[in-house]
Structures are given as C-alpha cells and as structure tokens.
C-alpha cells in the first residue's frame, strides 16, 4: 500500500487528474439544485464541517464582559452627544469651523455633561482612558484635544510638578479656564528628545528662567492647542545654570517649564512669543496645531516643574537622581500615559471600522448559485479572510490594551520599580503594534465595502486620515519597537546572570531552557483539531518563535559589534530586531486573550471567545508558517491542517459576526455610516445623496 501511494500507476494518475478537472468545472459551473425552505445563505459551498451548529451568543452578556466597569461613563458621553446633534461633526466642515466645534464639544462635555477627566488621570487612569476612547468615537479630533488638555498639559503639571504646581493649576486645567499645550517636539527633533535645543537659562539676579529658541530648528512644532486655544504651555528645554568656567553655563539636561503664552483675559499672544499655525493637515483638523518661538521670555523660578530636579534661589541645582540620563528617563517615564491611551483609542477605532465593514458585508448581496437568491458577500471565503481574522485581532487587542490600562493604573498607585519598566516597554510595544495594524486594517475595511466604502459619509476615509498620525506621535512606531527589542535583549542578558525578570517577560526563562531545544518530532506532526486548538500549543508556538528570534538576534549583535561597533551592529540587525519586538508583543496579546477566555464566567460567552481566540492564534501561526517550517517546528501535514482549520474557524466566526460586533455596543450615531445601519442602510444612504 505504501509503495502505491509513493509511486502511483498511470491509471491512478489519470483518475486523479480527472477528479481535479471535475472539481474545477464544478467551481466554474455549479450544478443547480432546487431551493428548499431550510436552505440558508450560510450554505455557500464551504467544506461540510463548516455547517455545524451555530454558537449561541448573548450579545448583552458578551458586551458586559468586554466593557466592564467603565461602561456607564461611556454611555453618558454617547447619550450627551446623541441629545446634542449640533455638536456632532458634520461631514463637510472647514478647518476653522472644525476647530471651533471641537472646542465646543470639549467645553460641553466638561461644563454641561459634568465629565471632569483630570481627577481620573490621577485617581483612576482606566476611567480616564475610557472617557477619551468614547470621546474619540464621537470625533477623533475631540479625543486628541482632550488628551492634549488633560493627559499632556495637565499630566505634565501633575506628574512632573510638585504640590505648589498642583495647588495653583489643577482647578484651572480641570475646568478649562487654563487651556494648555505640551511643547516638546521641535522642527529638528521629534523622537530624539535629549537633542532638544530650546534652552531655559537661570538668571540669579531676577530669580527667573529665560526661555529662548536659539535657531529655526528649535521652533516648537506640531503643538496641539497652540494655534488657537492654548494659554499655557509645558515647554521642554535644556536647563542652563551660570558656571564659573570657559563655557559660562552648565547644561543640566531637559526639564519642563510652565510658560504662559496668551493673556488670560484678552487672549492676546504675550511679548517675546511668536505663534504660527501649522495649517491644514491630512487629518485631525479639529485640533489646532501650532508652532512656538521664544525670544527672551522670562518666567518665575517656581515655573520649573521640579519633581526630579530643582534650582534654589542662589542657583544651586539639586536632584534625588544623580545623572542627566536618570533624570531624563524618570521624566519621560511619567509621560507614558499618552502611549497607553493611543493603544486603547486605536483599538476603539478598529472596532468602529469592523462594525461598519462587517454589518455592510452581512447586508450586501452579490451573485449566487444559478436561479437562486444572491448571497451575502460575507459568505465568500475571500471576504471572510479579509474581515474575520481582523475581528479576532480586534478582540485580542481589546483584552491586551485593557491589561495595559490595568497595570498602568497599578504602577501609578504603587510606584513599584519593576512594574514601571514593564509598563514602559509594554506600552511602547502595544502602541506601535496596534496602531500599525489598525492603519492597515482601515484600508482593508474600505476595500471590503467596495465603491460604497469610498463615500466619505461611510467614514473610512475620515477614520483612516485621523488615525494615521497615531503611528507617529507619542513615539514613532519604529523607534518604540526598538525600545521593546532593547529591553528583551536586556532581559535575555539578565536571565543568564540569574537576575529577576519583569512580569511580562517571565516566559523567557522557561523558553530559553525548553523551547529552544530541538523540536519534538512527534508533536511537530500532531495535526488533530483538539491539539491545534489547545492554548498551550498556540502559546508555545508564539513563544518559541520569539525565543528563537531573541537568541539569534543576540548572536548576530555580538558578532557584528566586533567589526561595526554597537551602533553599526544595531543598524545591521534592525529589521531582525523589529520582527523580534513584534513577535514578543504578539505573544503577550495571545497570553492575555487566553487568560480572559479562561476566566469568563458565562459558558456561552466563553465558547464564543474561545472560537475567536483560536482564530487569532492559528491565523498568526499560518501567516508566519515559513518560520515554523524552516526549523521543522511544524511538519508539512500539520501546516496544511492549520490552514484548513483556520478556514473553518473563519467561517464559524462569520456565523456569529453580527453578535460579535454588536457586543462593541457602538450606537448608530457613533458609527454614523449609512451602509452599516442594518435594515435602514440603503434608505439612509439614498436619503443622504438626495433621493
């Protein structure tokens, strides 16, 4: 028998060819069959196992598990804007009108709806992030403007200042009496914050700092709230102290200073300050970005945000941190909340895009078997492959970013050093990974909705343009992934020195000892469904890949450092390091998804989440199947089984896709795309164009 399989006869070959021709012909001209009452669109010619019973999903229970304790405040925001249609952003609006509307939206949220975000920045960061996410669902510009006011301007005062600053500014920032900016980025320096050129020189005679922009390259650029509404700015500048040497001054490193930029009563720009408008942008035109130049602007010594470094009346510098690098790291470490909120907000935008594309794909019907009704385009395998893994990733990102918010909140209340490092790296990685994925997915969703997706009213263009900058601000994604890779290498080194690993990296200890041994020739060939859907197999596969990438990166860096030096070796291995960082973040995402599936209390909800989690895991493995095949971690037949099971899971997720997107609990006035409004879709759409 074995010999016949390996060396088929000519007769067998003819039979095989004939069967293939018959199958192809059936694809091209399907045999018509009579339509029966029990026939459904779901029977669109997938393999027989795909017709198994549909999971029962209770949307309300799933939504409650997903949205948890912050659901109430998000509902309050949605209801406020639903009741105020004049505050909903119209499709066609000028830049000036959009900026004014965005200010009125924020003002109404604070003054009328009674949402006061600043206290949550300190007391309950998770609630603050939920507020920004809900506001961004109404208009992404509103979410960003809230973030500038409360997370960046307000957060810098709270986190980098001391009691005197909180006492003086907290109330005004909270009530919008003190609208402000976060002036860090310069024309010539964005990611390299230590290279900032703006300087703040202490004058011991007047007890003041003098803020100067020494060159055009030092102009503060892309500063949100600066062009129109801001009255203050947190200005990041080199702190310069008088010195008795040839230079005449000592550079104490980058510090933050509160600088008034407009008169509180007249709103006129103050002397020594130039403000210019950065103009129309690709997106986020409700946010007034501006450029700031300072010429001998004097501020009181008390305006130094002095948590990590202070200057006395006689010009002496003191700090609890001994070096410029440690002070700089502590300063930036207090500002990582922006990355957390971007990862969370990007996931929210991905939910909106999923909801629009999937609801449309369920409604839209095109083609079908001869003499039978047209079928939903979501019944086509190609549409499922576009949208179902994306839906699974959206759920995965939701749980991962929720975990990030949770440990960020713990960090803010406990200040445990190990947790600080873990949050710093995980926020960098998730912000980079999620925003990059969402940016690509918005284009996929647009394409999945055909010509109707190109209509501005259906939102994909607006979402894509507004979200695009998420990949750049709060840290360029490529730079952030390098931070993740650098920390992985640091942890790798500590492992061999017997050090303690941070929480998120614990698996590395086991992986270095176990995963990197020769792949088991038996398990490499297991291809049963139960094995492939086993969370242990899935997580082991993700972690094996990360561990292998980490080990090989360390070897390559060591090799190239001998001839190229540290910087040159890093640059030579850069793409490898970026892949390593992404692989690690994917491992964390899957681990958090599995954890949330297992702790879900409701059986039917847990079953639905398990299905979605399996699709996420196996689709990721299939997307990188070459890596697993190259090292024989997965045998050829097992690879085929993974592919087939991924197809099957995509179909099963398609069967509950409506319930899965409904669980996002996004009201129509939030998604606002006529093509996604269930049975009203085409009526809404035709009314919009004037019929």
């Amino acid at each position: 028998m074995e010999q016949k399989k390996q060396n088929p006869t000519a007769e067998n070959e003819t039979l095989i060819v004939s069967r293939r021709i018959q199958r192809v012909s059936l694809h091209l001209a399907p045999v018509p069959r009579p339509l029966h009452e029990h026939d459904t669109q779901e029977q669109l010619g997938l393999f027989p196992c795909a017709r198994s019973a549909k999971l029962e999903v209770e949307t309300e229970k799933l939504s409650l598990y997903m949205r948890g304790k912050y659901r109430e405040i998000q509902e309050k925001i949605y209801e406020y804007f639903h009741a105020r249609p004049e505050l909903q952003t119209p499709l066609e609006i000028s830049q000036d009108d959009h900026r004014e509307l965005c200010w009125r939206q924020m003002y109404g949220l604070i003054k009328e709806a009674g949402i006061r975000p600043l206290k949550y920045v300190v007391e309950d960061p998770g609630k603050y992030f939920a507020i920004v996410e809900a506001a961004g669902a109404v208009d992404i510009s509103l979410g960003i403007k809230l973030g500038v006011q409360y997370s960046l301007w307000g957060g810098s005062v709270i986190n980098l200042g001391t009691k005197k600053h909180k006492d003086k500014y907290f109330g005004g920032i909270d009530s919008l009496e003190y609208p402000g900016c976060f002036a860090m980025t310069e024309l010539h320096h964005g990611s390299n914050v230590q290279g900032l050129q703006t300087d703040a020189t202490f004058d011991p005679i007047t007890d003041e700092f003098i803020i100067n922009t020494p060159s055009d390259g030092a102009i503060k650029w892309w500063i949100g709230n600066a062009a129109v509404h801001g009255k203050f700015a947190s200005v990041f500048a080199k702190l310069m102290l008088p010195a008795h040497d040839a230079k005449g001054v000592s550079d104490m490193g980058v510090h933050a200073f509160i600088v008034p930029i407009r008169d509180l009563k007249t709103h006129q720009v103050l002397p020594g300050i130039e403000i210019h408008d950065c103009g129309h942008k690709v997106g986020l035109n409700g946010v007034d970005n501006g450029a700031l130049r300072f010429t001998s602007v004097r501020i009181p010594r008390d305006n130094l945000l002095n948590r990590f470094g202070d200057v006395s009346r006689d010009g002496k510098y003191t700090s609890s941190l001994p070096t410029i690098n440690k002070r700089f790291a502590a300063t930036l470490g207090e500002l990582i909340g922006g990355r957390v909120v971007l990862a969370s907000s990007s996931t929210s935008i991905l939910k909106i895009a999923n909801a629009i594309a999937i609801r449309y794909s369920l409604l839209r019907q095109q083609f079908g078997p001869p003499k039978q009704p047209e079928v939903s385009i979501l019944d086509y395998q190609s549409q499922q492959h576009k949208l179902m893994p994306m839906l699974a990733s959206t759920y995965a990102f939701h749980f991962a970013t929720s975990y990030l918010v949770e440990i960020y909140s713990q960090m803010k209340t406990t200040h445990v050093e190990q947790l600080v490092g873990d949050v710093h790296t995980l926020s960098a990685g998730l912000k980079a990974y999620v925003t990059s994925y969402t940016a690509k997915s918005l284009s996929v969703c647009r394409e999945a909705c055909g010509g109707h997706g190109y209509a501005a009213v259906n939102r994909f263009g607006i979402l894509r343009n507004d979200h695009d900058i998420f990949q750049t601000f709060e840290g360029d994604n490529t730079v952030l992934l390098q931070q993740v890779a650098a920390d992985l290498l640091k942890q790798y080194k500590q492992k061999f020195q017997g050090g303690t690993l941070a929480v998120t990296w614990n698996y590395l200890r086991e992986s270095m000892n176990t995963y990197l041994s020769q792949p088991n020739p038996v398990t490499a060939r297991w291809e049963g469904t139960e094995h492939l859907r086993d969370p242990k197999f899935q997580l082991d596969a993700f972690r094996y890949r990360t561990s292998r990438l980490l080990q090989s990166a360390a070897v390559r860096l060591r090799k190239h450092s001998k001839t190229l030096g540290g910087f040159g070796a890093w640059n030579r291995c850069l793409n490898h390091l970026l892949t390593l960082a992404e692989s690690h973040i994917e491992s964390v995402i899957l681990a958090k998804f599995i954890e949330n599936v297992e702790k879900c209390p409701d059986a039917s909800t847990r079953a639905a989440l398990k299905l979605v989690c399996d699709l996420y895991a196996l689709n990721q493995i299939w997307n990188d199947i070459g890596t697993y095949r190259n090292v024989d971690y997965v045998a050829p037949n097992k690879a085929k089984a993974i592919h087939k099971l991924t197809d099957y899971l995509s179909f099963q997720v398609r069967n509950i896709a409506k319930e899965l997107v409904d669980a996002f609990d996004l009201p129509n006035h939030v998604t606002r795309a006529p093509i996604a409004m269930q049975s009203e879709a085409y009526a809404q759409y035709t009314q919009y164009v004037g019929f």
Side-chain angles (χ1 to χ4, degrees), residues 616-684:
Y616 172 75
L618 293 176
N619 185 70
Q620 291 295 115
I621 292 172
W622 175 251
N623 285 342
D624 201 22
I625 199 67
T627 296
Y628 296 106
R629 284 290 304 115
N630 284 344
V631 296
D632 207 28
Y633 190 85
V634 170
N637 283 347
K638 187 170 187 174
K640 291 178 184 176
I642 290 170
H643 190 203
K644 184 176 180 181
L645 184 55
T646 303
D647 282 347
Y648 168 69
L649 294 172
S650 284
F651 183 84
Q652 292 293 357
V653 171
R654 173 260 175 269
N655 281 343
I656 58 171
K658 180 182 182 300
E659 290 85 349
L660 290 172
V661 296
D662 286 351
F664 295 152
D665 206 12
L666 298 167
N668 276 347
H669 72 276
V670 171
T671 55
R672 291 205 312 280
I675 57 170
M677 291 184 181
Q678 309 298 343
S679 58
E680 308 167 29
Y682 290 106
Q684 293 271 350

Side-chain angles (χ1 to χ4, degrees), residues 546-598:
T546 304
S547 301
R548 195 169 188 88
L549 284 164
L550 177 55
Q551 185 191 50
S552 56
V555 170
R556 288 186 66 204
L557 284 168
R558 193 158 46 241
K559 172 189 169 185
H560 291 303
S561 292
K562 295 174 183 176
T563 55
L564 301 175
F567 182 85
W570 187 269
N571 195 34
R572 174 66 65 87
C573 301
L574 187 51
N575 288 335
H576 186 156
L577 294 165
L578 297 177
T579 304
L580 164 64
E582 289 174 340
S583 178
H584 168 68
I585 293 303
E586 287 170 358
S587 296
V588 175
I589 290 169
L590 178 60
K592 291 300 135 191
F593 202 167
I594 290 170
E595 183 182 304
N596 278 275
V597 171
E598 291 174 347

Side-chain angles (χ1 to χ4, degrees), residues 495 506-516 536 540 543:
K495 186 267 174 189
N506 279 335
Y507 74 86
L508 289 173
R509 187 177 300 283
E510 181 184 350
S511 69
M512 290 298 125
N513 296 329
T514 306
Y515 297 155
L516 293 184
K536 186 178 186 313
D540 280 355
R543 290 174 169 177

